[in-house]
Amino acid sequence: MHLAYPAVLAALLFCVGLYGVLARRNAILVLMSVELMLNAVNLNLVAFDVWLRDTLHSGQALTLFTIAIAAAEIGIGLAIVLAVHRNRGTSDIDRLRDTAETDDAETLPETAGADDAGDGGSGTDALATPPGRAGGTTGTTKKAGATA
């Protein structure tokens, strides 16, 4: 058997998997593409093991370890995707850019220009404390009779 046939097939599988990782937006399809890439590596390991006529069959043994790691990876990956889908309602990768909670300054854009209201403040206290909490001042809490 020529080594070129499984090597070309493995290269094609790896390229399809790489395209899937880079182009897909669904997290499950990305995980499937990673599995394609791992299977391409496994095919290369077995093909080179047969081509080199290794008496220890180290390529096949390493393939078994790779399959075990891939099974654990897909189990943990699917658990994470399901947990994120339950919390966010989507598994779209573009929408899941940040899994942490958003910063208060990002969610309150109207307080970012609080210094422009003429309250004489530095503007940093309006970003540090959102409205409704004790401490910071916003441009909307000025009294009508107060002078700057």
Side-chain angles (χ1 to χ4, degrees):
M1 179 174 88
H2 294 286
L3 184 62
Y5 299 131
V8 168
L9 180 62
L12 289 174
L13 273 176
F14 194 85
C15 289
V16 168
L18 186 64
Y19 173 75
V21 166
L22 295 176
R24 298 294 178 179
R25 298 295 174 231
N26 191 350
I28 301 228
L29 292 177
V30 170
L31 287 174
M32 289 173 59
S33 298
V34 169
E35 288 297 319
L36 272 176
M37 293 168 61
L38 286 173
N39 285 331
V41 170
N42 288 339
L43 181 60
N44 269 334
L45 284 171
V46 171
F48 277 98
D49 182 52
V50 169
W51 184 63
L52 293 174
R53 292 181 175 79
D54 188 17
T55 57
L56 294 176
H57 299 292
S58 56
Q60 293 178 17
L62 192 57
T63 299
L64 287 176
F65 285 117
T66 307
I67 290 171
I69 290 172
E73 174 257 333
I74 201 69
I76 291 172
L78 281 176
I80 291 171
V81 168
L82 285 175
V84 168
H85 189 272
R86 284 184 184 170
N87 288 337
R88 301 271 177 116
T90 184
S91 62
D92 190 13
I93 294 177
D94 288 338
R95 296 176 132 184
L96 301 176
R97 191 186 89 231
D98 188 21
T99 57
E101 291 184 22
T102 57
D103 192 18
D104 289 336
E106 292 177 9
T107 59
L108 302 171
E110 65 273 1
T111 61
D115 195 28
D116 296 337
D119 61 352
S122 65
T124 58
D125 55 346
L127 292 176
T129 307
R133 293 186 186 172
T137 60
T138 61
T140 58
T141 57
K142 265 173 65 170
K143 295 182 181 177
T147 57

